């Protein structure tokens, strides 16, 4: 679950990481939609090339072939541009697949996260880094992850229906436990990608969930 398989972009947004359909639900069409797509693509390209410090409204406007006043009027500043790139990543109909098992579903999600975090150009990594420099981008990234985690909670509900995990298992905790090792290894520690990591992390979370580690404690007496 990260900011589809190819990472964030104006045309190909993502699921946690990020593998979403290209067709947006709320994107405007016509000339307005085309302008937005060009501008957001320019933001991603400039961010990857030069980082947050090199990102500017004027530079984005020039790269996108859009008049600078149009960009200032709609997005106002760099923070607004970054926030819209991240918000655009949720404008899709993406939903997690059903492999028939919790381990399979979590592994599939992690494969998408792994693909997004190791993609070239590294748009997802650049956007995550930028979120530490812009309050608007940080808020938008939080909205993105909230959206993706909410969509993926069905994975744990299906597992409970199959009897793989106890009823009342906290879906969010399971999802965070499954995806966190990828972010820790690839984003924080910057370790070399390991193709086995996605399934290892999924298996660990699934085993813990089946043992009741993520049971909803609010239902217990005295909690």
């Amino acid at each position: 679950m990260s900011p589809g398989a190819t990472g964030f972009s104006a045309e190909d947004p993502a699921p946690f990481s990020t593998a979403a359909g290209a067709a947006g639900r709320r994107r405007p069409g016509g000339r307005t939609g085309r302008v937005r797509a060009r501008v957001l693509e320019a933001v991603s390209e400039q961010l990857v090339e030069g980082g947050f410090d090199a990102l500017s409204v004027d530079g984005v406007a020039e790269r996108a072939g859009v008049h600078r006043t149009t960009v200032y009027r709609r997005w106002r500043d760099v923070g607004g541009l970054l926030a819209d790139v991240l918000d655009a990543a949720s404008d899709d109909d993406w939903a997690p697949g059903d492999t028939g098992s919790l381990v399979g579903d979590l592994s599939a999600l992690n494969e998408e996260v792994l693909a997004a975090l190791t993609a070239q150009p590294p748009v997802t990594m650049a956007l995550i880094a930028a979120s530490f420099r812009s309050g608007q981008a940080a808020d938008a990234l939080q909205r993105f992850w909230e959206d993706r985690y909410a969509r993926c909670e069905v994975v744990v509900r299906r597992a409970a229906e199959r009897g793989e995990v106890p009823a009342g298992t906290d879906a969010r905790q399971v999802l965070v436990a499954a995806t966190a090792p990828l972010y820790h290894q690839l984003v924080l520690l910057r370790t070399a990608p390991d193709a086995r990591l996605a399934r290892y992390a999924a298996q660990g979370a699934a085993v813990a969930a089946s043992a009741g580690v993520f049971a909803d404690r609010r239902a217990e007496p005295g909690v």
Side-chain angles (χ1 to χ4, degrees), residues 194-208:
D194 184 341
R196 299 169 297 178
L197 178 59
R199 186 162 185 87
Y200 284 169
Q203 287 175 326
V207 168

Side-chain angles (χ1 to χ4, degrees), residues 96-149:
D98 186 353
T99 67
S101 73
L102 180 59
V103 169
D105 289 352
L106 293 176
S107 294
L109 290 174
N110 277 355
E111 290 290 350
E112 295 187 16
V113 175
L114 182 67
L117 294 178
T118 58
Q120 294 298 325
V123 180
T124 296
M125 293 288 276
L127 284 165
I128 291 174
S131 72
F132 288 94
R133 304 286 302 279
S134 165
Q136 286 177 275
D139 290 343
L141 185 57
Q142 183 178 17
R143 289 193 297 272
F144 171 83
W145 273 324
E146 285 291 335
D147 171 74
R148 280 324 196 230
Y149 278 117

Side-chain angles (χ1 to χ4, degrees), residues 17 22 50 66 103 116 124 135 168 172 221:
S17 85
V66 177
V103 169
T124 296
R172 180 65 58 91

Side-chain angles (χ1 to χ4, degrees), residues 161-182:
E161 292 170 358
R162 290 191 295 260
E164 293 181 275
V165 300
T169 294
D170 190 315
R172 180 65 58 91
Q173 289 189 37
V174 175
L175 294 166
V176 170
T179 58
L182 278 74

